[in-house]
Amino acid sequence: MNYEDFFKAELDTLRSDGRYRIFADLERKAGQFPLATHRSGHREKGITVWCSNDYLGMGQHPSVLKAMHEAIDLCGAGSGGTRNISGTNHFHVELERELADLHGKESALLFTSGYVSNWAALGTLGALLPNGVIVSDAGNHASMIEGIRHSRAERHIFKHNDMADLERVLKSIEPGRPILIAFESVYSMDGDIGPIKEICDLADRYGAMTYLDEVHAVGMYGPRGGGIAEREGLMDRVTVIEGTLGKAYGVVGGYIAASAALCDFVRSFASGFIFTTALPPAIAAAAAASIRHLKTSHDERTGQRDRVQRLRLKLDAAGVPYLRNDSHIVPVMVGDAKKCKWISDLLMEHYGIYIQPINYPTVPRGTERLRITPTPLHSDADIDHLVGALSELWSRCAVNRAVA
């Protein structure tokens, strides 16, 4: 077999389908988010970022930067190893306390990313619960799917946010077997929200544990940023809450929050935790500062909601179609991979607007989109420029407009 020819042929297929991913060479401007510099060859161009998961701009917040600088001066750059071998720093301990308090849980456990926290926690729980079963929402993130697959536990998939189908699955499982229901609060591509209370009700009825991924909700919802479960007063009913430090909190890392025994169980048995170098102390210090700030400050969340509302109103007026939901995510629907990539390229080249195309396999074929995430730092002028550009391109690219 000619391996190089195989690799190139597969990549050529992605290109011809319009699904080949190109990473934009960007340099964020400290203190000027969402502005950035785009480099292409020898050219440099100022652009506005419209697809960042730094939903509240906390990656630029003075208190976060100050905490990171101070921790570097105090501890240096790296963590020194795994948490077991010289890698546990006092900033890790403080951050886990902040996270446990945020979610009203006894304990929390840090990971290097949200992907790893899902993979390691679900993989460990599924593998070691005796004769256990994992029941997973069909819309769950790839990290949850990989963790469940890695566990080799028996698994059942229920239709997305469909409580009748979830109960059908639960009824089919032999009584007395350990069950873990895995689902999300805010689903990142459509922006819809999971029915947490109804899932918890079914979990109680059938003796199941619940595992809630809140990565797109922490920092964003609830009086202290604890997520949708906090907003709905349901944190105490969820067995495990998983979250990230790399989105609304503006840094990097993942975590779970749960009982002391469950967190210690994952800490003691999860290879994805045991054998991974710990987050640098400066990252942990910055994340803790971000969490503390958002526990008491409502300005960022209020400003972000205002920007989302304004953008939607402008899109409605222009007839640019988007998926309606109750979250902060605005998926502008294109429905064709090549056109989606083309529009994305034209936005960058001619309008200084950066929005990555979202194509299969991230979303189903025929639902290709531009996933827009307004922040409190986008101005009225930014929104007007974005909507004007989209409206022009919708006509130029012959994409269907929304019907008023």
Side-chain angles (χ1 to χ4, degrees), residues 115-328:
Y115 191 105
V116 173
S117 58
N118 271 333
W119 177 82
L122 285 167
T124 301
L125 292 168
L128 298 181
L129 283 171
N131 198 29
V133 183
I134 298 181
V135 180
S136 176
D137 187 288
N140 279 344
H141 188 263
S143 58
M144 302 175 78
I145 294 168
E146 286 300 316
I148 294 166
R149 182 179 297 153
H150 176 73
S151 77
R152 298 186 178 180
E154 180 182 320
R155 61 186 182 273
H156 298 272
I157 312 299
F158 66 95
K159 295 175 184 177
H160 179 53
N161 282 349
D162 187 325
M163 295 302 94
D165 197 49
L166 173 57
E167 183 159 26
R168 176 192 64 78
V169 171
L170 293 171
K171 282 181 177 178
S172 73
I173 299 170
E174 181 183 350
R177 294 184 67 183
I179 303 171
L180 178 63
I181 305 172
F183 62 107
E184 300 183 38
S185 57
V186 178
Y187 288 85
S188 64
M189 289 299 123
D190 287 355
D192 55 333
I193 295 175
I196 301 173
K197 178 184 182 300
E198 290 78 3
I199 292 175
C200 289
D201 288 344
L202 287 172
D204 291 346
R205 191 178 308 163
Y206 290 91
M209 297 192 300
T210 48
Y211 184 103
L212 173 62
D213 178 314
E214 288 255 43
V215 296
H216 292 278
V218 290
M220 301 293 293
Y221 301 92
R224 300 198 309 158
I228 299 294
E230 183 194 26
R231 186 187 73 179
E232 304 299 326
L234 297 168
M235 290 193 299
D236 62 316
R237 298 191 61 192
V238 179
T239 311
V240 183
I241 296 176
E242 185 268 347
T244 185
L245 306 169
K247 293 183 171 58
Y249 291 123
V251 196
V252 69
Y255 65 89
I256 60 170
S259 70
L262 191 150
C263 287
D264 197 14
F265 179 85
V266 174
R267 181 191 72 89
S268 299
F269 290 102
S271 63
F273 175 85
I274 295 169
F275 299 107
T276 301
T277 299
L279 288 170
I283 295 292
S290 184
I291 293 165
R292 290 187 196 106
H293 176 83
L294 290 174
K295 280 179 177 178
T296 58
S297 174
H298 302 284
D299 292 345
E300 292 80 9
R301 289 188 283 274
T302 301
Q304 201 272 346
R305 287 194 291 270
D306 175 79
R307 300 293 81 190
V308 170
Q309 182 182 22
R310 180 178 175 87
L311 174 60
R312 286 174 172 156
L313 289 172
K314 292 287 184 177
L315 291 173
D316 286 337
V320 176
Y322 62 92
L323 279 183
R324 299 178 187 276
N325 57 53
D326 294 322
S327 75
H328 57 284

